[in-house]
Amino acid sequence: MNKKGFTLIELLVVVLIIGILAAVALPQYFKAVEKSRATEALSIMGSVAAAMERARLVSSQNVYPTSLGSLDIEFSDVNGSPVSGSSWSTNNFNISVSGSDTGSGVITATRNGSSAYTLARYYYTGRVVCNDTTGTGAGASVSGICVSLGLPTGSN
């Protein structure tokens, strides 16, 4: 009698191996995706900071602008509408510009959704810091995003 096929044990071993591989690979995948989203925010913040510096240099009072409408670049919100105030939302972040026009301002990007972390770039020093508040819970898959980006935590 010639029976072809797989035994139940062989199938269970294959399913077990696939499960172990998925358990190891998925958290790393989510961390890589979140790191790319954070890099997007850093890029936007860099563009805003450069535009703020250009606006300060051409200003007769040598001060930073307090709204995005006076910059030489245009930003759009998630609906495609131009942004002229001091904050707007992208698909992944809420970005705001705050502070005074004398250099104590900060550009802040707060992650939308369950992954709670904030990136801040200070006008005067140009320093970028990260505050990761995910810890454990719903956003634990991206816990340590500040470390993976190589950014210091804290304030200016």
Side-chain angles (χ1 to χ4, degrees):
M1 196 185 262
N2 188 7
K3 292 185 179 181
K4 295 181 180 181
F6 299 104
T7 65
L8 183 60
I9 298 294
E10 290 171 331
L11 291 174
L12 287 175
V13 168
V14 169
V15 169
L16 180 66
I17 290 171
I18 291 172
I20 290 170
L21 290 174
V24 171
L26 281 177
Q28 292 302 319
Y29 169 75
F30 289 131
K31 191 174 264 189
V33 168
E34 197 59 45
K35 188 174 178 181
S36 70
R37 289 181 179 150
T39 303
E40 170 200 6
L42 291 172
S43 175
I44 292 171
M45 292 166 64
S47 297
V48 171
M52 287 283 193
E53 190 63 28
R54 286 191 301 272
R56 183 188 68 82
L57 292 173
V58 299
S59 167
S60 60
Q61 293 88 18
N62 197 28
V63 295
Y64 290 101
T66 55
S67 86
L68 299 169
S70 57
L71 299 179
D72 59 356
I73 57 176
E74 186 176 289
F75 296 96
S76 300
D77 62 12
V78 291
N79 300 321
S81 304
V83 176
S84 61
S86 62
S87 66
W88 78 98
S89 292
T90 66
N91 289 331
N92 299 313
F93 289 91
N94 292 321
I95 299 174
S96 64
V97 179
S98 62
S100 71
D101 57 4
T102 60
S104 62
V106 62
I107 305 161
T108 307
T110 304
R111 179 71 169 95
N112 295 338
S114 63
S115 306
Y117 62 91
T118 301
L119 303 169
R121 181 179 178 130
Y122 295 89
Y123 292 168
Y124 186 71
T125 62
R127 183 169 186 222
V128 179
V129 295
C130 180
N131 291 309
D132 186 358
T133 58
T134 56
T136 59
S141 63
V142 297
S143 183
I145 191 71
C146 298
V147 173
S148 67
L149 289 171
L151 294 174
T153 58
S155 60
N156 191 15

